[in-house]
Amino acid sequence: MLNIDNKMKKSSLDKQKNNKIWGGRFSTSPSELMEEFNSSIQFDQILYIEDIEGSLAHSEMLSKQNIISKKEFLSIKSGLEQIKKEISNKEFNFSTKLEDIHMNIENRLVEIIGDTGKKLHTARSRNDQVATDIKLWLRKKIDEIELSLKNLQRTLIEKSEIYHDLFMPGYTHLQVGQPVTFGHHLLAYVEMFGRDRGRLLDCRKRMNELPLGSAALAGTSYPIDRNFVAEKLGFSKPTENSMDAVADRDFAIEFMSASSLIAIHLSRLAEELVIWSSDRFNFVKLPENFTTGSSIMPQKRNPDAAELIRAKPGRIFGNLLSLMTVLKGLPMTYGKDMQEDKEPIIDTAKNIKLCILNMEGMIGNIEPIPEKMMEALQTGFPTATDLADYLVKNLKIPFREAHHLTGKIVLLAETKMTPLENLTLENIQSVVPNADLKILEILKIKNSISSRISYGGTAPKNVLKAVKNAKKRFLEG
Ligand code: ARG
């Protein structure tokens, strides 16, 4: 956190009654209560790089269009560069009296370069300025988050390749369903994160239009060049409607919805890690450096990182709902309500990235315990579907009847307390008299898994193909 209102700055500002930037038509200064309530500098100072970037492009355009002189632009530029250094060196005194990052910087510019600094705000308003700043900031965050998702996919794909033939139970209703491979299970998440990346990029594309130049809400009478500024700041084009440009934050809502889906996907994987690493399952050992000990129970190693990822959707959905509620029913155009956008946006970007990085850390050094996975496959009769399919394919029994007969065989195994693959031919023939020896092969886990060769299925050779494919689809380019 940077210094706010340090003594020196406070005394110089206290001397003057009204706000330097907009105080002209006021005879009294705002109440202290109002000042604290109204200011956003505590959280919008994070936008200083983008605010300065925007001001540099804006002032260069003003000079190119002869709205200010070249000399004035160069002076503004050097002042802004000094301010950037002051802030990054934590030598800048932020003031709540100056409300937000925009006015703190502008005020300091005038202190440094004098009256020329007062020309910076020509042909713009804080309304188009703040929308531009957030878009610039969020664009960077989206790029970082998208890249961290790609890295997580890479780690998952590497593990899928290594464990393409490690058998484990596949679950429905958290009951053993059919055998799958650990690699296939991990690749399921690679697909989810692939769609998540797509959603982030879609949202980035739609938001990448420049608001600056829309001014307060109606545009401006100065002969500005918005295309020049758009190009300078890496936007695809200027926004089409000045009122829309200052009034909407749909791009932030899209980002937060995309983040909510990422959080949902991560929380499911996190919950699986919690289950898998529990002492009842014991399917995996999580890397020690992503777990913690208990202050009282010496034997414990708790999956805290996974649990936090499981919990973070709470705040991430909350942030989304909070901004949706702020915007709902807000009349055109800007309202101070919109200052409430920043904390949820910033919090979401920070936390979703942390979740992705921690998940990658855990997956990177996860150690599966094959014996435990195999042990779990000995219960729950996971090859029952294979048995029913065998009856259909080889003995021409209609599926519904085959399902019924298989149920009887499962019951038999259950009474004998043995896995299906340990039944004898005689056992099976007591239910299906014309079953032959081939049926015993069908009941083996290995054969069940390697028979799942349909496109997208779990057979190890499919998984290897899917790994290759995933590398091409998600990691190249
Ligand atoms: N701090 C304000 C915000 O975050 C900046 C825009 C202020 N505009 C205004 N007309 N009061 O929204």
Side-chain angles (χ1 to χ4, degrees), residues 44 106 154 307 330 361 388 397:
D44 68 14
E106 192 184 322
R154 178 177 298 111
E307 288 171 334
L330 194 64
I397 300 175

Side-chain angles (χ1 to χ4, degrees), residues 40 44 99-100 102 125-127 130 249 334-336 338-342:
S40 53
D44 68 14
E99 278 184 44
D100 55 26
H102 326 296
S125 146
R126 273 188 294 155
N127 296 352
V130 72
R249 294 289 183 268
Y334 177 86
K336 191 71 174 210
M338 290 167 74
Q339 181 164 285
E340 288 285 312
D341 63 351
K342 277 163 218 73

